[in-house]
Amino acid sequence: MSPSSTSSSVQENCPDYQRVTISGDYCAGITLDDYDQAAKNLFKALLLREKYSKLAYHRFCRTTSKFLRSAQNTTWSEEDEVLPDMCPCPEAGEDPYCMDNIPKDLNYKLKMKDGIVYVYDNEEALKQNQPHDLPYPDLETFAVELSHVLAMTADGPTKTYCHRRLNFLSSKFNLHEMLNEMAELKELKRVPHRDFYNVRKVDTHIHAAACMSQKHLLTFIQKTYQTDAERVVLEKDGQRMTLKKVFQHLNKDPYDLTVDSLDVHAGRQTFHRFDKFNAKYNPVGASELREIFLKTDNVVNGEYFACIIKEVARGLEESKYQHVEPRLSIYGRSPDEWYSLSKWFIDHKLYSPNMRWMIQVPRIYDIFKLKKLIPNFAKMLENIFLPLFEATVNPQKHKELHVFLKYVSGFDSVDDESKHSDHMLSFRSPKPEQWTSVENPPYSYYIFHMYANIIVLNNLRKECGLNTFQFRPHCGEAGSLTHLVSAFLTADNISHGLNLRKSPVLQYLYYLAQVPIAMSPLSNNGLFLEYSKSPLKDFLHKGLCVSLSTDDPMLFHYTKEPLMEEYAIAAQLWKFSTCDVCEIARNSVLQSGFSHQDKMHFLGENYLKDGPEGNDIRKTNVAQVRMAYRHETLCNELNVGEPAEKLLL
Amino acid sequence: MSPSSTSSSVQENCPDYQRVTISGDYCAGITLDDYDQAAKNLFKALLLREKYSKLAYHRFCRTTSKFLRSAQNTTWSEEDEVLPDMCPCPEAGEDPYCMDNIPKDLNYKLKMKDGIVYVYDNEEALKQNQPHDLPYPDLETFAVELSHVLAMTADGPTKTYCHRRLNFLSSKFNLHEMLNEMAELKELKRVPHRDFYNVRKVDTHIHAAACMSQKHLLTFIQKTYQTDAERVVLEKDGQRMTLKKVFQHLNKDPYDLTVDSLDVHAGRQTFHRFDKFNAKYNPVGASELREIFLKTDNVVNGEYFACIIKEVARGLEESKYQHVEPRLSIYGRSPDEWYSLSKWFIDHKLYSPNMRWMIQVPRIYDIFKLKKLIPNFAKMLENIFLPLFEATVNPQKHKELHVFLKYVSGFDSVDDESKHSDHMLSFRSPKPEQWTSVENPPYSYYIFHMYANIIVLNNLRKECGLNTFQFRPHCGEAGSLTHLVSAFLTADNISHGLNLRKSPVLQYLYYLAQVPIAMSPLSNNGLFLEYSKSPLKDFLHKGLCVSLSTDDPMLFHYTKEPLMEEYAIAAQLWKFSTCDVCEIARNSVLQSGFSHQDKMHFLGENYLKDGPEGNDIRKTNVAQVRMAYRHETLCNELNVGEPAEKLLL
């Protein structure tokens, strides 16, 4: 595991480069006791994430896993590795909506208990309370493990240690850059036919309802009015309204509409105002137009929304190298949401090879409860997850949902993280069935219950030979550090992660475990953090696995290619080299929900391997020198912690 | 001229807004003597610029002119105003290259004296040294007036006064913004059919040889190779080479070429290295490809370069609202350059309604002299200007140049401003005929002689009923403050102006005279000044007449729409409101070389008027509140200086 041992196998496809080696005492500036304590803590936290990841069929960094095995004096083997299972693209000529060959119904019985769906082989097993053998997690264990990791983020010696290692990583990269910048560039110049423009990039964090530009939405509305003015598009207070009537009611002439009057772009007014930001989703400040044009389930059966998304998809297919994973909402108000969503997907033929779908669940139990739509939190969870289990065990009964789920990457948890919660998750927290107050559960409570259902579901689906899902919540955009701890355990990867800059321990843990972070500096600039203060450059330099995503092109971007705009601005302002931006693009593919086959096609056959071996420069345009540096640096960081840890075991 | 008197006439089309009024002593914080001295200096400088502008048919700010007249106790009249004369677009169906109706030859005689072309009615007048009645400026007067303005930029009381006024302007705008932001936005939302995307924008500063994106150039080279591999495209050391042979010689396969190997993008390596920056104009680091693809006068007669530019033009015409003024080089090595350039323009049919042309003259006399291509500086000037006078007095003899000049906006002076010159311009400086040393003349010496020839030429052309030219040099990108003083007198508008941040007096003068400044923060970010340190936002806030331009899309930009990228990044990072960006776009049209007819079409019929009266919000999308604020603020600044000045007269 030492850099010298790995570099030999690499020699062949990695040019020699100038290495920075530090000799002498590895824990200078910190006492041995403190060092031991820090190493022990970090080791424990990594083991925990590994456990949680394996249960959920999430990827866990191979290098880190190898280190953990080695520290435990066991051997790592590829067979023990748990990997997600994503549906490959339909082959050319194959119908993506094909409903032949759907597996037989298993007629398993399903029942929610403590907010988690339990699976029973039959009625008898259900009666005897003998669930199918799947990992059913419990809130108590999670609460205890969460508090362990939380405690270590506040532990003095661990903080000092991580802070020093992060500073070291920063300085080391600066040296690497100075010494090897030209060597990296030279490698890239030699790569035939591949540059920043034709490496694959996935916009892994983008909301479907804002995935078009403001100008695109405007043009679409005007175009639609020309043909559909007399069509009934809205039902309001029992009255059926045509598009013409809607605009009369709004006192607007669609022809005169401008991006100014549309008013969906974030401005100075939205900074630190999530409420105003959310209101921007309403064109012309009117919820009517959002209802008509940006919803899947409305009077026109989501036809307009589907058309806009298909236009976005055609643009991506033309660009060839850009991909997106738009987020669609499932609220948990009613169990029908899934059927209506999958019907929308199938009816409007929304499949695109450049798209995979993410499901976002807004954390708005309190609103539903207040409106008396649901009796308790468990009901919301049931509405969200039970249909998925149903479609998994009885796919013949839920063909549309079965097909749609093939193209779903996973789940996101969304809302304003800066909202404070009075409740603090603990092992004494009420179970979802008992959560009947109008108060909203805290972030970690949501996260655990989504994660818990996803792992049961993934294990069940794996058994049935179906694709698994990733859990990829919004996390660390604002709010408490607990969010980042919860996601460290439960998430495959996260969106935002801004608050990692506030905790050296968590930042270092996200580094060691290489938890991917999809960052959106332009969105942050409009909402929570000025562009110049974004930690993205710092994170990238240190070696955290960061990527770039747009979040909401409709609200933040100006040009016809929002993802390119995001990359361009980052490259311009942070003076990123081609190697930097291509590394970011590679990270975005890795963390996406595209299939193993797609990833082999996009990144090279060995993409699962760590270090230069796993990199095909002809596809990624990332220099092998950079890959070797990242790999050796990570190995070095893990080994710095190792000897002390070995003593402890 | 007081705000109250102007506001009444405006009331009709300008909504009421919250005004900031300061009462009490207007020159607080500065002694009356100092104040008098400052006011006297500024007044004198403004009068000088007005004189120079009128001579050259440059625009001079009407409000400032009115103030000067009023301070001199005379009256301003529209008839006295001198305006440039630009050719309108050919009408629909009209041939832009039509050579009918070209005026008759006048057969005037021409002779260069002291580096300036003199015009004589006939051989007799030439013999008797009786030149045609035109304003022929002299270097001595310029040197003296330049040193006057230069001295006042270093004058203590004037510096203090200007510094205070600029601070005041900044703070006042901040207040205005806080108080009226929503009022401005409200106005814009009400404007039908007009938003940031469809207001006219002119990219007034862009070099033709880098006006395409790096990706565009790459694709063009690859496309050309597919059809033209066997075509002779280069003559090198007497050998004629096909495109195939050129690539063999470079050891490159065009198919494998990437933007990385093309290597025309500015990177970290170019910062503060104008030499490395210039080398980026050579694709693949090879001057051969520059010669073949980016030159007008080569073995393929500039066909490839013309094709690329026409592709750029088609893109602009499709966008409809974007315009550019690309710069083509005239070097002054030989008098044939103009004929070859205009032939290129006509042969390849390069006219586009979205383009006007600028001629850039690189300041590289020293190189030509060293290579013994010219005997003295006067010869270089003669090669540049004599053909223009020829074409003006004898258009029948120079039909192609005559036609091409219709579409030329004016002249630019370009090169690395940070290069130091040993010579200091003074009334004792040698005349161009005597400038025979290999040393390069200083910036001001170049500027004066270009300006001098342009004013003679413009007056002559005006007499002949032909269009005039603007002088729009690169200025203040780096180097001495003298550059900005020279241009303050001689330029219609300038590119860059970064160094204005170093001189409060000059900055305030550029404000009072409303000298337009085309800024390119992305270019600066790659070359001279980090984006975050760009003074653009500060200048805009104070009310300087700034616009955005791209400079070199091939070197700096990433997306397919470089001008939109430039606007988008500025808007994102500086949190510009729609009104801010539309004000910038309006400024860009004002300073461009598009015709009076075009400007009326783009900005409204009254665009020549100052203040809200001159603004047609339906075309510009600039709030009347903003226009009123700018106008009243400028009037106020001018009047602050007025009373003391009146005493002096």
Side-chain angles (χ1 to χ4, degrees):
Chain A
M1 281 302 297
S2 74
S4 54
S5 71
T6 51
S7 59
S8 66
S9 68
V10 157
Q11 224 68 17
E12 307 143 43
N13 64 351
C14 177
D16 213 16
Y17 70 103
Q18 299 189 61
R19 288 180 170 80
V20 182
T21 322
I22 284 89
S23 59
D25 188 3
Y26 51 75
C27 53
I30 178 168
T31 70
L32 200 60
D33 280 355
D34 281 3
Y35 170 75
D36 278 352
Q37 186 169 332
K40 190 177 148 191
N41 274 335
L42 296 172
F43 185 74
K44 200 166 161 188
L46 290 174
L47 274 181
L48 277 175
R49 173 165 169 86
E50 194 189 34
K51 181 181 85 174
Y52 277 81
S53 297
K54 277 194 167 172
L55 278 173
Y57 288 92
H58 285 162
R59 266 190 85 190
F60 186 79
C61 174
R62 216 178 244 196
T63 307
T64 313
S65 192
K66 283 178 183 168
F67 154 74
L68 292 174
R69 290 303 79 72
S70 143
Q72 290 173 321
N73 286 319
T74 57
T75 44
W76 179 90
S77 81
E78 210 170 320
E79 293 76 51
D80 296 341
E81 200 173 37
V82 162
L83 290 171
D85 230 325
M86 299 298 182
C87 266
C89 285
E91 310 221 345
E94 205 180 319
D95 174 15
Y97 316 101
C98 172
M99 295 198 186
D100 308 337
N101 304 319
I102 291 179
K104 274 189 201 142
D105 288 352
L106 296 169
N107 291 313
Y108 285 174
K109 299 294 156 197
L110 304 166
K111 196 187 159 197
M112 178 157 277
K113 202 178 91 183
D114 298 345
I116 299 165
V117 180
Y118 278 67
V119 184
Y120 302 88
D121 290 344
N122 46 45
E123 198 66 48
E124 186 59 26
L126 172 60
K127 262 187 215 156
Q128 301 203 354
N129 198 19
Q130 287 176 331
H132 195 82
D133 183 25
L134 295 167
Y136 303 95
D138 63 276
L139 181 62
E140 291 78 5
T141 314
F142 175 74
V144 169
E145 289 172 341
L146 180 74
S147 71
H148 277 172
V149 183
L150 198 55
M152 80 178 64
T153 64
D155 174 59
T158 312
K159 273 160 77 174
T160 308
Y161 178 74
C162 294
H163 178 73
R164 294 181 64 92
R165 294 314 307 172
L166 288 167
N167 278 350
F168 172 78
L169 284 171
S170 252
S171 305
K172 192 176 170 190
F173 184 81
N174 281 344
L175 280 176
H176 169 80
E177 197 173 44
M178 280 183 245
L179 297 169
N180 297 295
E181 191 172 12
M182 297 317 287
E184 290 178 354
L185 194 61
K186 207 169 135 193
E187 271 193 81
L188 301 191
K189 280 195 189 176
R190 279 208 200 121
V191 180
H193 203 58
R194 189 72 58 195
D195 57 37
F196 167 66
Y197 289 92
N198 59 20
V199 297
R200 302 281 173 163
K201 297 158 206 81
V202 185
D203 194 344
T204 60
H205 169 203
I206 175 169
H207 301 281
C211 74
M212 72 302 293
S213 73
Q214 53 177 350
K215 182 76 180 163
H216 183 179
L217 178 62
L218 176 68
T219 313
F220 185 86
I221 292 176
Q222 290 172 330
K223 214 170 58 185
T224 306
Y225 192 84
Q226 279 172 17
T227 57
D228 281 13
E230 302 300 338
R231 180 170 173 184
V232 173
V233 294
L234 190 71
E235 205 171 300
K236 209 183 162 186
D237 311 323
Q239 207 194 343
R240 289 169 67 82
M241 292 169 87
T242 62
L243 197 53
K244 196 169 177 179
K245 206 157 173 195
V246 171
F247 274 99
Q248 278 167 353
H249 175 73
L250 293 172
N251 208 7
K252 297 268 177 201
D253 179 344
Y255 178 76
D256 290 338
L257 223 53
T258 64
V259 299
D260 297 333
S261 50
L262 203 60
D263 195 23
V264 292
H265 225 244
R268 283 184 290 233
Q269 283 79 34
T270 52
F271 204 61
H272 282 290
R273 287 294 301 275
F274 206 92
D275 51 341
K276 286 202 175 184
F277 167 78
N278 260 340
K280 288 284 180 182
Y281 272 93
N282 294 323
V284 202
S287 60
E288 288 90 343
L289 294 186
R290 180 181 188 172
E291 174 67 27
I292 297 166
F293 289 101
L294 301 175
K295 294 276 178 184
T296 59
D297 184 16
N298 53 17
V299 174
V300 295
N301 295 316
E303 183 185 317
Y304 296 148
F305 189 37
C307 282
I308 296 177
I309 291 181
K310 281 192 280 187
E311 289 177 3
V312 171
R314 290 308 89 80
L316 295 168
E317 288 160 25
E318 272 167 36
S319 86
K320 188 172 169 188
Y321 299 98
Q322 290 179 45
H323 306 256
V324 301
E325 295 182 285
R327 278 149 177 75
L328 295 165
S329 292
I330 287 287
Y331 298 92
R333 266 173 315 202
S334 109
D336 299 334
E337 293 175 32
W338 277 109
Y339 305 110
S340 130
L341 188 64
S342 50
K343 191 171 161 23
W344 172 78
F345 176 83
I346 307 275
D347 286 354
H348 298 292
K349 299 200 180 301
L350 276 153
Y351 170 79
S352 159
N354 293 53
M355 277 186 179
R356 283 294 176 280
W357 302 84
M358 285 287 294
I359 301 300
Q360 62 179 15
V361 179
R363 295 188 296 276
I364 48 175
Y365 157 81
D366 50 341
I367 294 174
F368 300 150
K369 176 67 189 173
L370 208 64
K371 289 187 179 169
K372 298 198 165 56
L373 296 169
I374 46 172
N376 55 37
F377 188 62
K379 193 69 198 173
M380 180 171 169
L381 290 168
E382 195 182 296
N383 290 337
I384 297 165
F385 288 103
L386 202 59
L388 297 171
F389 282 85
E390 263 293 337
T392 301
V393 298
N394 296 329
Q396 294 284 348
K397 282 199 197 108
H398 308 281
K399 287 183 178 174
E400 293 183 331
L401 183 50
H402 170 84
V403 170
F404 174 49
L405 289 178
K406 284 188 188 180
Y407 309 113
V408 170
S409 298
F411 296 86
D412 188 357
S413 172
V414 297
D415 200 22
D416 181 3
E417 283 189 71
S418 66
K419 277 198 276 185
H420 173 74
S421 170
D422 281 333
H423 184 88
M424 175 78 194
L425 178 77
S426 80
F427 64 94
R428 280 182 306 235
S429 293
K431 291 292 160 67
E433 287 79 0
Q434 278 83 56
W435 196 291
T436 52
S437 81
V438 289
E439 197 198 346
N440 210 20
Y443 181 89
S444 317
Y445 194 87
Y446 271 101
I447 294 293
F448 168 73
H449 288 99
M450 288 194 68
Y451 167 78
N453 281 293
I454 290 166
I455 69 168
V456 181
L457 183 61
N458 276 349
N459 281 278
L460 178 66
R461 289 178 70 86
K462 191 80 186 174
E463 225 180 73
C464 302
L466 300 172
N467 62 303
T468 61
F469 304 113
Q470 300 172 309
F471 184 41
R472 293 159 53 179
H474 275 54
C475 182
E477 186 179 12
S480 151
L481 286 179
T482 325
H483 304 188
L484 285 161
V485 179
S486 313
F488 177 73
L489 295 175
T490 58
D492 183 273
N493 62 74
I494 63 166
S495 295
H496 291 304
L498 292 181
N499 279 347
L500 286 175
R501 81 210 143 101
K502 295 182 182 167
S503 165
V505 178
L506 281 168
Q507 194 183 129
Y508 194 54
L509 279 172
Y510 272 72
Y511 167 71
L512 290 177
Q514 290 287 298
V515 184
I517 309 162
M519 302 188 77
S520 309
L522 284 177
S523 157
N524 302 146
N525 184 58
L527 203 46
F528 283 110
L529 192 73
E530 305 252 337
Y531 204 99
S532 58
K533 291 179 188 154
S534 165
L536 188 142
K537 184 187 182 183
D538 181 49
F539 288 177
L540 178 74
H541 278 193
K542 286 170 180 161
L544 277 85
C545 183
V546 294
S547 67
L548 275 167
S549 55
T550 57
D551 201 347
D552 296 284
M554 180 179 85
L555 279 80
F556 301 117
H557 297 70
Y558 286 87
T559 67
K560 289 171 193 160
E561 294 185 292
L563 188 59
M564 288 302 283
E565 185 176 341
E566 192 81 40
Y567 273 91
I569 295 183
Q572 299 268 18
L573 295 185
W574 288 317
K575 304 208 170 171
F576 282 156
S577 69
T578 307
C579 190
D580 293 330
V581 283
C582 291
E583 190 181 7
I584 291 172
R586 183 176 180 271
N587 287 343
S588 79
V589 176
L590 280 175
Q591 77 189 79
S592 75
F594 281 85
S595 68
H596 179 60
Q597 291 75 359
D598 281 333
K599 289 182 183 179
M600 285 202 293
H601 177 46
F602 297 167
L603 303 178
E605 297 220 325
N606 296 318
Y607 82 94
L608 283 172
K609 292 188 180 165
D610 283 339
E613 272 186 293
N615 182 45
D616 186 343
I617 188 172
R618 291 165 309 171
K619 287 170 178 276
T620 64
N621 208 40
V622 179
Q624 291 293 41
V625 167
R626 175 67 60 93
M627 294 299 294
Y629 169 80
R630 292 286 187 222
H631 184 58
E632 291 168 21
T633 301
L634 179 60
C635 289
N636 186 59
E637 287 305 306
L638 290 165
N639 286 326
V640 169
E642 193 191 19
E645 193 41 47
K646 270 196 175 156
L647 295 174
L648 290 165
L649 285 166
Chain B
M1 280 302 297
S2 75
S4 54
S5 72
T6 52
S7 60
S8 64
S9 69
V10 156
Q11 224 69 16
E12 307 144 43
N13 65 349
C14 178
D16 213 17
Y17 71 104
Q18 298 188 62
R19 288 181 171 79
V20 183
T21 321
I22 284 88
S23 59
D25 188 3
Y26 52 73
C27 55
I30 179 167
T31 68
L32 201 59
D33 280 354
D34 281 3
Y35 171 75
D36 278 352
Q37 185 169 331
K40 190 176 149 193
N41 275 334
L42 296 172
F43 184 74
K44 197 165 163 189
L46 290 175
L47 273 182
L48 277 175
R49 175 167 168 84
E50 194 189 36
K51 181 181 86 174
Y52 277 81
S53 296
K54 278 194 167 172
L55 278 174
Y57 288 92
H58 285 163
R59 264 190 87 191
F60 185 79
C61 173
R62 216 179 244 197
T63 307
T64 313
S65 194
K66 284 179 182 166
F67 154 73
L68 292 175
R69 288 304 79 72
S70 142
Q72 291 173 322
N73 286 319
T74 56
T75 45
W76 179 91
S77 82
E78 210 169 321
E79 292 76 50
D80 297 340
E81 201 173 34
V82 162
L83 289 171
D85 229 324
M86 300 298 184
C87 267
C89 285
E91 310 221 344
E94 205 180 317
D95 173 15
Y97 315 101
C98 172
M99 295 196 187
D100 308 337
N101 304 321
I102 291 180
K104 275 190 202 143
D105 288 352
L106 296 169
N107 291 312
Y108 284 176
K109 299 296 155 194
L110 304 165
K111 197 186 158 196
M112 177 157 278
K113 202 178 93 182
D114 299 345
I116 298 164
V117 180
Y118 278 66
V119 184
Y120 302 88
D121 290 345
N122 46 45
E123 198 66 46
E124 185 60 25
L126 172 60
K127 261 186 216 158
Q128 302 200 351
N129 198 21
Q130 286 176 332
H132 194 82
D133 183 26
L134 295 167
Y136 303 96
D138 64 277
L139 181 62
E140 291 77 6
T141 314
F142 175 72
V144 169
E145 288 172 340
L146 180 73
S147 70
H148 277 172
V149 182
L150 199 55
M152 81 178 64
T153 65
D155 174 59
T158 314
K159 271 158 78 174
T160 309
Y161 177 75
C162 294
H163 178 73
R164 293 180 66 91
R165 295 314 307 172
L166 289 166
N167 278 350
F168 171 77
L169 284 171
S170 251
S171 306
K172 192 176 171 189
F173 185 81
N174 282 344
L175 280 176
H176 169 79
E177 198 173 43
M178 279 184 248
L179 297 170
N180 298 295
E181 192 172 12
M182 298 318 286
E184 290 178 353
L185 194 62
K186 208 168 135 194
E187 271 192 82
L188 302 191
K189 279 194 189 178
R190 278 207 200 123
V191 180
H193 204 60
R194 189 71 58 194
D195 56 38
F196 167 66
Y197 290 91
N198 59 19
V199 297
R200 302 281 173 163
K201 298 160 206 81
V202 185
D203 194 343
T204 59
H205 169 203
I206 177 169
H207 301 282
C211 74
M212 72 301 294
S213 73
Q214 53 176 351
K215 183 73 179 167
H216 182 178
L217 178 63
L218 176 68
T219 313
F220 185 85
I221 292 177
Q222 290 173 330
K223 213 170 58 185
T224 306
Y225 192 85
Q226 279 172 16
T227 56
D228 281 12
E230 302 301 338
R231 179 170 174 186
V232 173
V233 293
L234 190 71
E235 206 171 299
K236 208 184 165 187
D237 310 325
Q239 207 194 343
R240 289 169 67 80
M241 294 169 85
T242 62
L243 196 53
K244 195 170 178 179
K245 208 159 172 194
V246 171
F247 274 99
Q248 278 167 353
H249 176 73
L250 293 172
N251 208 8
K252 297 270 176 200
D253 179 344
Y255 178 76
D256 289 339
L257 222 54
T258 65
V259 298
D260 297 333
S261 50
L262 204 61
D263 195 23
V264 291
H265 225 243
R268 283 182 291 233
Q269 283 78 34
T270 51
F271 202 62
H272 282 292
R273 287 294 300 275
F274 206 92
D275 52 340
K276 286 201 175 185
F277 166 79
N278 260 340
K280 288 283 181 183
Y281 271 93
N282 294 323
V284 202
S287 60
E288 289 90 343
L289 294 185
R290 180 180 188 172
E291 174 67 26
I292 298 166
F293 290 101
L294 302 176
K295 294 276 179 184
T296 58
D297 183 18
N298 53 17
V299 175
V300 297
N301 295 317
E303 182 184 318
Y304 296 148
F305 189 38
C307 283
I308 297 177
I309 291 181
K310 280 192 280 187
E311 289 178 4
V312 171
R314 291 306 90 78
L316 295 169
E317 288 160 24
E318 273 167 38
S319 85
K320 188 171 170 191
Y321 299 98
Q322 290 178 45
H323 306 255
V324 301
E325 294 182 286
R327 276 148 178 75
L328 295 164
S329 291
I330 287 288
Y331 298 92
R333 265 174 316 201
S334 108
D336 299 335
E337 292 175 32
W338 277 110
Y339 305 109
S340 131
L341 188 65
S342 51
K343 190 171 160 24
W344 172 78
F345 176 83
I346 307 274
D347 285 356
H348 299 292
K349 299 200 181 300
L350 275 153
Y351 170 78
S352 159
N354 293 54
M355 277 186 180
R356 282 295 176 278
W357 303 85
M358 284 287 293
I359 301 300
Q360 61 180 14
V361 180
R363 294 188 296 275
I364 49 175
Y365 157 80
D366 51 340
I367 294 175
F368 299 151
K369 175 67 189 174
L370 207 64
K371 289 186 178 169
K372 299 200 164 53
L373 296 169
I374 45 173
N376 54 37
F377 188 63
K379 193 71 198 171
M380 182 171 167
L381 290 168
E382 194 181 298
N383 290 336
I384 297 165
F385 288 103
L386 201 59
L388 297 171
F389 282 85
E390 264 293 336
T392 300
V393 297
N394 296 329
Q396 294 284 348
K397 282 198 196 108
H398 308 280
K399 288 183 176 172
E400 293 183 331
L401 183 50
H402 171 84
V403 171
F404 174 49
L405 289 179
K406 285 188 189 179
Y407 310 113
V408 170
S409 299
F411 295 87
D412 188 356
S413 172
V414 297
D415 200 21
D416 181 3
E417 283 190 71
S418 67
K419 276 198 278 185
H420 173 74
S421 171
D422 280 333
H423 184 87
M424 175 81 193
L425 177 78
S426 79
F427 64 94
R428 279 181 309 232
S429 292
K431 292 291 160 69
E433 285 81 0
Q434 278 83 55
W435 195 291
T436 53
S437 81
V438 291
E439 198 198 346
N440 210 19
Y443 181 89
S444 317
Y445 194 86
Y446 271 100
I447 293 294
F448 169 73
H449 288 100
M450 287 193 69
Y451 168 78
N453 281 292
I454 290 166
I455 66 169
V456 181
L457 184 61
N458 277 349
N459 282 278
L460 178 65
R461 289 177 71 84
K462 192 80 186 175
E463 223 181 75
C464 302
L466 299 172
N467 61 303
T468 60
F469 304 112
Q470 299 172 308
F471 185 41
R472 293 158 53 180
H474 276 55
C475 182
E477 185 179 13
S480 152
L481 286 179
T482 325
H483 304 189
L484 286 161
V485 179
S486 314
F488 177 73
L489 295 176
T490 59
D492 184 272
N493 62 75
I494 62 167
S495 296
H496 291 305
L498 291 181
N499 278 347
L500 286 176
R501 80 210 143 102
K502 295 180 182 169
S503 165
V505 178
L506 281 168
Q507 196 184 128
Y508 194 54
L509 279 173
Y510 273 71
Y511 168 72
L512 290 177
Q514 290 287 299
V515 184
I517 309 163
M519 302 188 77
S520 309
L522 284 177
S523 158
N524 302 144
N525 184 56
L527 203 46
F528 282 111
L529 191 74
E530 305 252 337
Y531 203 99
S532 58
K533 291 180 188 153
S534 166
L536 188 142
K537 184 187 180 181
D538 180 48
F539 288 177
L540 178 73
H541 278 193
K542 286 170 181 161
L544 278 85
C545 183
V546 295
S547 67
L548 275 167
S549 56
T550 58
D551 201 347
D552 298 284
M554 180 179 86
L555 278 81
F556 301 116
H557 297 71
Y558 285 87
T559 66
K560 289 171 194 160
E561 293 186 293
L563 187 61
M564 288 303 282
E565 186 177 340
E566 192 81 40
Y567 273 90
I569 296 184
Q572 299 267 18
L573 295 185
W574 287 317
K575 305 212 167 162
F576 282 157
S577 69
T578 307
C579 190
D580 293 330
V581 285
C582 292
E583 189 181 7
I584 291 172
R586 182 174 181 273
N587 288 343
S588 79
V589 176
L590 280 176
Q591 78 188 81
S592 75
F594 281 85
S595 69
H596 179 60
Q597 290 76 358
D598 281 332
K599 289 183 184 179
M600 286 203 292
H601 176 46
F602 297 167
L603 303 178
E605 296 218 327
N606 296 318
Y607 82 94
L608 283 173
K609 292 187 180 165
D610 283 337
E613 273 186 291
N615 181 45
D616 185 344
I617 188 172
R618 293 164 307 169
K619 286 172 179 273
T620 64
N621 208 40
V622 179
Q624 291 293 40
V625 166
R626 175 67 60 93
M627 293 299 294
Y629 170 80
R630 293 287 188 220
H631 184 58
E632 290 168 20
T633 302
L634 179 60
C635 289
N636 187 58
E637 287 306 306
L638 289 165
N639 287 326
V640 168
E642 193 190 19
E645 193 43 47
K646 273 198 174 153
L647 295 174
L648 290 165
L649 283 164

